[in-house]
Every structure is written in structure tokens, then in C-alpha cells.
Amino acid sequence: MAPSRAARSGAPDLAWPEGAPAPAEFRARVWEQGRARYRDLPWRGLDDPWPVLVSEIMLQQTQVARVGRYWERFMAAFPTVDALAAAATADVLELWQGLGYNRRALALKRAADECSATRGGRLPETADELEALPGIGPATAAGVVAFAYQRPATYLETNVRSVFLHELFPDENGVTDRALRPLVQATCDEADPRGWYYALLDYGAHLKATLPNPSRRSAHHGRQSAFEGSRRQKRAWLVRHVLASDEGVAASRALAALDAAERAAGRPAVDPAEFASIVDGLAAEGFFTRDGDVLRA
């Protein structure tokens, strides 16, 4: 389906996909479907950018159903930027356990540290400034701008992508975000960007639950590799193991324990060189400190 130049109110030169519903029809359908399938989530309708940012970070590569209780627990412990900045890294990681992708927690802590030190505990108000903080990419920054500040932004994430692919590119494979982004930008409701993106998210979640996932037709879709037995799984195991000890853990004993756990699960023995590389990486990233052979959170 080749795009053609199609007029849209306020953007007459927008490249609109040929044969797709007209822009007004598309927007009306998204509003209708989104309102019908609205999800009442605890981080919605908030004007404070901090809890919105925490939710956006947690929702990266994690299903909504898993995020709810973690978000509420995390916000109870760290209700402000300054509260997270003042916290020990080990305490932050402990509350994050179970969500996976622990780098997100470290990046969020570093973003809070920076904002507490240089911005009086306040988050930036523009997407560009937000993206300059650790761990915040274009979609996360746009989410904060639209949801917390109620300002137009180009918020392109998996559920939003699914709606645009389903409605505007129903017969195409390999559609790029470069093709989608101007459409997302042009169709954002300037009067209610928050409500518009809620509608897109909820409609997209419905599509993914009831149809073959439209996002699979994106040029950027990739299947997640198996977790069990992976390097990611070993990293997560070691972080939990170190966090569970108040006195620190000898790396040699941690290797033996991880090796025993892997063998018990029917997986191959742990390669000592891979383990040493994992320890080096986690220490460099700030997950724990290393004093000789001893690892401490």
C-alpha cells in the first residue's frame, strides 16, 4: 500500500496511507473503541510527572497486569524524586525485584539523583530535557509530556503502534516507525492528548488480546529470547543473591550456588568465565560493589 498525499485539517501535506480510513474517521474510531475499553489504572489522570514517569519506566517490556502492585509499593516507598534520590541503591533494587530488567531501576535512581541535585527535585517539562536523563527514551519522554503535562507529544509504543498498523496498514508487513511517527504526531488530539493516548493504548491492548498481534507486522518487532538459562536470568539471580545477604557474598560461593541451581533445573553448568563477566558487568553498572572476592549490595 503506497502512501499518497492526503489532506488533513491543519496538515494538508501529511502523507496519509492510500486506501486507509480518512483521518477524521480514524480519530472517531479510536475515540469510540478507546472509551469503550477504558482501563482504570492507578497512574492515570495524575498531573504529577513523577508517578507518571515511574509507571512509564515500569511498563517498558512489562505487562500492565504485573506493574500495578509494584508501582503502588514503589510509590509508597519513594513518593517523590527526592525520596528516591535519598534512598540506598540496594533498597531500590529490592523493591524492583520481580519486575525484571533491573537496569531500569538503576536508571530511574540516577535520573532522580540528577533532578534532585540540579532541579530542586523537579522533573523537566519538555521531551528533549526528559530524554537527556538516564533511561528515558523518546516514548517515555512523550508519555510524561502527554499524560502528566497534558501537552501534545509523539507517543509511539507497542499498543499505539498496533492501532496504527491495524487501522491504516492492514495488509502491510515491515512497516517502519519512520512511516508511523508523522501519523502519530499529526493525529494527536491537541485539546486532550492524555485522553487520546489512553484511547489508543486501550484499543491497542484490546486488539492484541483478540487478534493476531498487529505489532508483528512492524519492521521493529522482535521476539524476546527465552529467559530461563539465559545471561539475563543469571544476572537477575546474582542480584537477588547479593541483595539477600547483609554481610556480602563471596563471588566463589555465589558461583557454586548458581551452578548448583542451574544443574538442579536441568541446565548446563555455569561457565566460570561467563560468571566473571556477569560480575564485572553488574559491578560496573552499580548493582553492587566488589571488595576482593566479596560482593556487597
Side-chain angles (χ1 to χ4, degrees):
M1 182 186 298
S4 65
R5 310 301 280 185
R8 187 187 81 90
S9 177
D13 60 345
L14 176 68
W16 193 259
E18 183 180 348
E25 182 182 349
F26 168 75
R27 290 194 297 272
R29 180 164 177 79
V30 169
W31 276 120
E32 177 187 16
Q33 291 292 322
R35 286 166 175 155
R37 310 188 188 286
Y38 180 79
R39 296 171 295 175
D40 187 16
L41 304 172
W43 47 82
R44 288 192 168 181
L46 303 178
D47 296 323
D48 183 349
W50 174 240
V52 173
L53 174 61
V54 173
S55 72
E56 286 297 304
I57 295 291
M58 287 186 169
L59 287 163
Q60 293 171 2
Q61 298 177 290
T62 306
Q63 294 180 342
V64 170
R66 291 187 59 210
V67 168
R69 61 189 177 93
Y70 286 96
W71 180 86
E72 292 177 343
R73 186 177 64 173
F74 197 90
M75 290 308 305
F78 312 117
T80 65
V81 170
D82 288 335
L84 185 63
T89 299
D91 294 335
V92 178
L93 289 171
E94 184 176 356
L95 279 182
W96 200 272
Q97 291 306 297
L99 269 178
Y101 298 97
N102 293 319
R103 284 193 186 96
R104 296 179 297 174
L106 285 184
L108 185 59
K109 171 80 165 83
R110 290 169 183 150
D113 291 345
E114 183 173 328
C115 290
S116 182
T118 65
R119 293 180 170 272
R122 298 178 63 86
L123 290 174
E125 296 187 11
T126 69
D128 287 344
E129 290 175 306
L130 284 162
E131 283 186 56
L133 294 174
I136 300 182
T140 300
V144 173
V145 169
F147 299 135
Y149 296 126
Q150 186 65 309
R151 295 203 305 267
T154 307
Y155 182 60
L156 179 57
E157 60 79 75
T158 180
N159 285 337
V160 173
R161 185 181 292 112
S162 292
V163 174
F164 278 82
L165 290 172
H166 176 74
E167 291 285 345
L168 305 184
F169 298 89
D171 301 315
E172 279 202 47
N173 291 310
V175 181
T176 66
D177 283 356
R178 183 177 180 180
L180 294 179
R181 194 167 286 110
L183 301 174
V184 175
Q185 180 180 11
T187 54
C188 179
D189 190 314
E190 295 186 2
D192 185 12
R194 174 191 286 171
W196 171 250
Y197 283 121
Y198 287 166
L200 280 165
L201 288 169
D202 295 342
Y203 182 23
H206 170 73
L207 290 173
K208 290 166 69 175
T210 56
L211 298 175
N213 184 358
S215 285
R216 293 174 184 168
R217 295 188 286 103
S218 165
H220 312 285
H221 179 75
R223 293 185 179 275
Q224 192 177 68
S225 59
F227 179 71
E228 296 301 325
S230 68
R231 184 181 178 92
R232 286 192 299 120
Q233 181 258 332
K234 294 180 179 70
R235 281 171 53 97
W237 183 96
L238 185 55
V239 169
R240 290 195 303 272
H241 192 66
V242 175
L243 286 175
S245 173
D246 294 330
E247 304 297 327
V249 178
S252 55
R253 292 191 176 184
L255 170 57
L258 176 57
D259 185 75
E262 291 295 286
R263 289 174 184 270
R267 293 190 288 268
V270 177
D271 179 5
E274 180 186 22
F275 180 81
S277 172
I278 289 172
V279 170
D280 288 343
L282 291 173
E285 293 168 37
F287 283 95
F288 48 65
T289 60
R290 180 169 47 186
D291 181 12
D293 186 53
V294 179
L295 312 176
R296 292 189 176 90

